Amino acid sequence: HIESIENAIDSELKSNGVDIAASSNLHQPLSPPRNNASVETTVTVSQSSQEPAETVTETSNKPEGERLCKLMCSKGLRRYIYGNISHRAKLMEEIPAALKLAKEPAKFVLECIGKFYLQGRKAFSKDSPMISARQVSLLILESFLLMPDPGKGKLKIESSVKDEAEMAAVAWKKRLMGEGGLAAAEQIDARGLLLLIACYGVPSDFRSMDLLDLIRTSGSNEIAVALRRSPFLAPMIS
């Protein structure tokens, strides 16, 4: 909830033309003043060494999504997507390729979605900022499926990451069953769970009817391209 509030504040500041980076600097401790000698030294070093200057320029020109994925900064990536959630087409072009730059994409994606799936449907009432926060998680999962071919063989998912994802899927299903069953789930809930098991594997206690209910209620035609790339779900469904 705190993260969603922070995201909403950042989004509001951006819409009003406020420089968020500059605003956050106001809360940083002031650096001690440097004397003229230190300034001169800095100038001399930057002018005498061209290679570091070029490296800095190259890094600063990289898309923000790529930079955050390379750093495995899950909170930063969520903030970035949240602030640009209305530009879905642009994000769906940028994020799948950016995720490939993460050291451990499967682990990183799981860190990004967190445990939002434990929040019941009452937390996502109409006009709630939590809705956008959940859309961010769904976009990241879909982007993971659409990530460019990692090369030879399938993308490796560590057993510990796979186990964590399975526990998340089981907990998610349990909550939905307590709220009336998978067939009665909200579209955004069903879509999220379907994408999760498509990314990391279908737990053994998911029946064929469970998958069918998720496909029916998730608006799966809108994410069909991503679902077809699932190494776990696609072989099970014609």
Side-chain angles (χ1 to χ4, degrees):
H1 286 72
I2 291 175
E3 182 179 340
S4 298
I5 293 171
E6 290 176 346
N7 288 334
I9 292 172
D10 288 349
S11 180
E12 184 67 20
L13 288 173
K14 288 176 68 177
S15 65
N16 288 323
V18 177
D19 187 339
I20 297 174
S23 301
S24 61
N25 287 339
L26 295 176
H27 302 285
Q28 301 296 328
L30 293 176
S31 301
R34 297 179 297 178
N35 56 32
N36 291 336
S38 64
V39 175
E40 291 174 0
T41 303
T42 303
V43 173
T44 303
V45 170
S46 62
Q47 288 178 347
S48 62
S49 179
Q50 294 297 326
E51 188 174 349
E54 291 175 1
T55 303
V56 171
T57 303
E58 183 181 351
T59 304
S60 62
N61 288 336
K62 284 186 177 180
E64 184 67 3
E66 289 187 8
R67 186 183 71 83
L68 294 168
C69 288
K70 200 167 185 179
L71 292 173
M72 295 271 288
C73 181
S74 57
K75 188 172 183 179
L77 183 64
R78 285 189 60 86
R79 282 178 177 271
Y80 172 68
I81 295 176
Y82 188 96
N84 295 277
I85 197 65
S86 59
H87 304 290
R88 176 179 167 81
K90 176 181 178 297
L91 290 172
M92 291 308 299
E93 182 179 346
E94 176 186 358
I95 302 304
L99 287 175
K100 189 177 179 180
L101 300 177
K103 184 178 180 181
E104 298 177 88
K107 180 180 179 181
F108 179 52
V109 167
L110 207 55
E111 288 176 355
C112 286
I113 69 172
K115 297 185 181 297
F116 79 97
Y117 52 85
L118 295 178
Q119 298 164 344
R121 67 173 67 186
K122 290 183 179 179
F124 299 90
S125 57
K126 188 177 180 181
D127 299 327
S128 168
M130 299 295 289
I131 295 176
S132 295
R134 179 163 286 190
Q135 288 174 339
V136 169
S137 296
L138 267 59
L139 189 145
I140 293 173
L141 287 170
E142 187 177 355
S143 296
F144 181 55
L145 288 173
L146 294 172
M147 195 172 63
D149 188 352
K152 298 179 181 179
K154 298 178 181 178
L155 176 69
K156 184 178 180 181
I157 301 178
E158 296 292 337
S159 58
S160 59
V161 174
K162 197 168 183 179
D163 290 343
E164 185 180 347
E166 182 173 335
M167 290 174 59
V170 171
W172 199 336
K173 176 188 173 184
K174 183 178 180 180
R175 175 177 67 77
L176 292 178
M177 295 302 291
E179 293 179 347
L182 301 183
E186 298 284 345
Q187 184 183 81
I188 195 169
D189 248 339
R191 181 174 295 189
L193 180 51
L194 185 61
L195 285 170
L196 179 64
I197 61 178
C199 288
Y200 295 97
V202 182
S204 58
D205 61 344
F206 274 64
R207 304 168 303 157
S208 297
M209 187 56 67
D210 294 332
L211 299 180
L212 184 58
D213 286 340
L214 289 175
I215 290 170
R216 283 173 170 168
T217 55
S218 65
S220 56
N221 58 308
E222 297 178 6
I223 55 172
V225 175
L227 293 178
R228 289 192 189 103
R229 291 176 60 91
S230 169
F232 307 105
L233 198 61
M236 301 175 64
I237 304 171
S238 62

